[in-house]
Amino acid sequence: MPRPVTEAARTRTGNYVIAAAAGVALLGAAGCSSGGTGAGSAAEPATTAPAAQGQQPQASGGASGYADGTYSADGQYQSPGGTETIGITMTLQSGTVTDVQAQTRPSNPNTRRFQGEFASGIAGQVVGKKLDELNVSKVAGSSLTSGGFKDAVEKIKAEASR
Amino acid sequence: MAALAHEFAFDAIGTRWSIATGQPLDAPARAAVAACIEDYSLLWSRFREDSLVARLAGQPGSHRLPAHAAGLAEVYAALHRATGGQVSPLVGSSLERLGYDAGYSLTPAGDPLPAPAWDNVDGVLAWNGPELATAAPLLLDVGAAGKGQLVDLVAGVLRARGFARCLVDAGGDMLVDAGGPVEVALEHPYDATRAIGSLVVEGQAICASAANRRAWGEGLHHVLDARTGVPVDSVAATWAVAESTLVADGVATGLFFASPARLAAESCLAGFSCVRMFSDGRAEYWGTLKGELFV
């Protein structure tokens, strides 16, 4: 589902490294599609038709001849498992592509895995950093489980080691 | 966070809570928070004998629940659809079978037990809006999104009492309305002293789910495929950022079974962004995120 223009446009301000990297990875992958995406090159974004997705570009115009807005289209490519579809959403501002998003529509589990790698960007093996090297206020995880559950696990460990 | 200098920390519903506010929480506000949590667990807790869930496990019936149950039903229906039934509120008996029961036996009582099918039209459970009716004794479990919704409800209690800004953190699932950005580390699922990345969150909720937390044995943890009753093993951990903690929590669970794109196709879930780490150590990100992953 295409995301709103306002949200997509935010991805190029500040240090939104994640979204920016996703766009780069996507364009490389879309180049091997069997046609129809219009997203093979960042230089020709306007061949993408917005109407089918039901989201109208915002008509603010620009010197480029392309209306500013968010454009979406589907493209197909051949995978070993058959034809697969990938959805591309692009944001144009003053003739420049400011954001690219992809939505995968995989039809088999293997494709789901491989599509994920270029649709969203796979960061390779995540090594991590020591928490105490980071200047963070909060940790999102589930290690803070307290009470009965932890106690019960400890009890089981104790019994198991007897 | 500097603006939220006052912290109120306590244990409830099996996790550690931390509520940060600009002004200290007075006694009536603390009592209101406690009452909100108590009311919610009286509905949904699988771990107390006086809850609605415990009653429904013994005796079928029809109940009109508080209004917020409609939001939970909507998220559950979306998750159920998007995952082809792998996420279901009927997974309670499957969890119990594997040992995650009210007595924390943590000992499997037999082979994995598939959850009963959820079909509002012609099934053992009809849950539409705040109306919930069962046709047989059933053990419900709303662990996929319930804690997130409770965080939202607690934040609502605080706002109603004039605490305009707050950070409500329930064991790492949190709503951040701190009046400024808060950097949140993504805990490494295999090493709690490390982070796989960090995200900047502001005016949003972030929730995490990890298969190795609330784990009690080889291959035994709390994220089950309701269709088989077997714990998931391909995804190690997920993090979701969304407008509400209810949605962030639900999406964090749904990502164990469905792609981000499939979940985002559900209108009541759309708008989230996420990171998930597979059990082979790869990480995937999706949507608009501010932050970095450490690779």
Side-chain angles (χ1 to χ4, degrees):
Chain A
M1 190 169 282
R3 56 192 56 251
V5 173
T6 49
E7 190 178 343
R10 277 209 318 250
T11 58
R12 286 303 166 96
T13 58
N15 57 339
Y16 293 90
V17 292
I18 289 174
V24 172
L26 162 70
L27 287 171
C32 66
S33 70
S34 59
T37 70
S41 153
E44 345 176 293
T47 54
T48 315
Q53 297 295 313
Q55 182 168 352
Q56 296 301 319
Q58 292 180 344
S60 55
S64 65
Y66 300 132
D68 287 1
T70 299
Y71 298 80
S72 298
D74 284 352
Q76 271 86 39
Y77 66 93
Q78 293 300 319
S79 82
T83 302
E84 296 292 347
T85 302
I86 188 165
I88 313 275
T89 302
M90 266 188 188
T91 303
L92 273 181
Q93 279 181 337
S94 305
T96 304
V97 177
T98 56
D99 186 44
V100 180
Q101 304 270 345
Q103 290 92 36
T104 57
R105 298 183 181 87
S107 61
N108 72 65
N110 284 333
T111 300
R112 182 173 303 170
R113 177 185 156 185
F114 293 119
Q115 262 194 357
E117 294 186 2
F118 53 73
S120 325
I122 282 282
Q125 299 290 316
V126 185
V127 290
K129 282 186 185 174
K130 280 292 197 190
L131 274 172
D132 51 20
E133 294 167 7
L134 297 172
N135 180 27
V136 293
S137 324
K138 285 286 177 182
V139 177
S142 324
S143 65
L144 297 171
T145 306
S146 74
F149 189 83
K150 265 187 179 166
D151 294 346
V153 170
E154 288 308 314
K155 204 161 70 187
I156 282 188
K157 280 183 185 165
E159 284 172 7
S161 63
R162 254 183 231 149
Chain B
M1 281 282 279
L4 303 181
H6 300 275
E7 189 195 18
F8 173 41
F10 54 94
D11 288 332
I13 62 161
T15 198
R16 184 73 178 166
W17 288 69
S18 162
I19 296 176
T21 45
Q23 298 298 319
L25 285 188
D26 49 28
R30 291 180 182 215
V33 166
C36 175
I37 294 172
E38 171 72 6
D39 288 349
Y40 200 82
S41 83
L42 267 175
L43 272 184
W44 296 121
S45 177
R46 216 160 46 76
F47 298 94
R48 53 190 293 174
E49 293 174 358
D50 54 350
S51 69
L52 176 69
V53 161
R55 277 165 62 198
L56 289 171
Q59 190 177 0
S62 293
H63 299 269
R64 183 174 182 85
L65 308 181
H68 55 68
L72 189 62
E74 186 183 24
V75 165
Y76 255 98
L79 291 171
H80 189 259
R81 235 180 350 255
T83 62
Q86 290 173 293
V87 175
S88 166
L90 290 169
V91 78
S93 49
S94 310
L95 285 161
E96 203 174 58
R97 171 62 63 88
L98 293 185
Y100 196 17
D101 50 50
Y104 291 122
S105 79
L106 305 185
T107 306
D111 291 334
L113 179 69
W118 181 21
D119 178 351
N120 271 344
V121 178
D122 182 24
V124 287
L125 169 67
W127 185 10
N128 294 296
E131 306 284 347
L132 190 152
T134 59
L138 292 173
L139 186 57
L140 302 178
D141 180 274
V142 295
K147 185 166 74 163
Q149 180 173 49
L150 182 52
V151 169
D152 290 336
L153 294 173
V154 166
V157 166
L158 296 174
R159 290 191 186 111
R161 291 182 162 266
F163 295 92
R165 300 287 186 196
C166 63
L167 194 162
V168 180
D169 178 357
D173 292 342
M174 65 194 93
L175 184 69
V176 179
D177 187 9
V182 172
E183 190 168 357
V184 180
L186 311 181
E187 185 182 293
H188 197 301
Y190 302 144
D191 181 354
T193 66
R194 302 181 82 82
I196 70 152
S198 71
L199 296 178
V200 178
V201 180
E202 182 178 0
Q204 291 166 308
I206 179 167
C207 289
S209 190
N212 65 317
R213 305 296 175 208
R214 294 184 189 254
W216 56 94
E218 186 65 38
L220 296 175
H221 60 79
H222 72 295
V223 186
L224 303 191
D225 179 344
R227 296 188 308 201
T228 61
V230 176
V232 193
D233 60 4
S234 56
V235 176
T238 63
W239 296 264
V241 177
E243 297 274 304
S244 73
T245 327
L246 167 62
V247 168
D249 196 8
V251 167
T253 305
L255 287 168
F256 278 83
F257 306 97
S259 69
R262 177 61 190 89
L263 294 170
E266 295 291 336
S267 58
C268 76
L269 304 178
F272 68 86
S273 49
C274 65
V275 175
R276 62 176 173 173
M277 183 170 158
F278 298 93
S279 46
D280 65 2
R282 295 170 308 132
E284 173 193 47
Y285 44 86
W286 194 86
T288 304
L289 288 163
K290 183 176 179 179
E292 59 180 320
L293 293 179
F294 308 134
V295 291

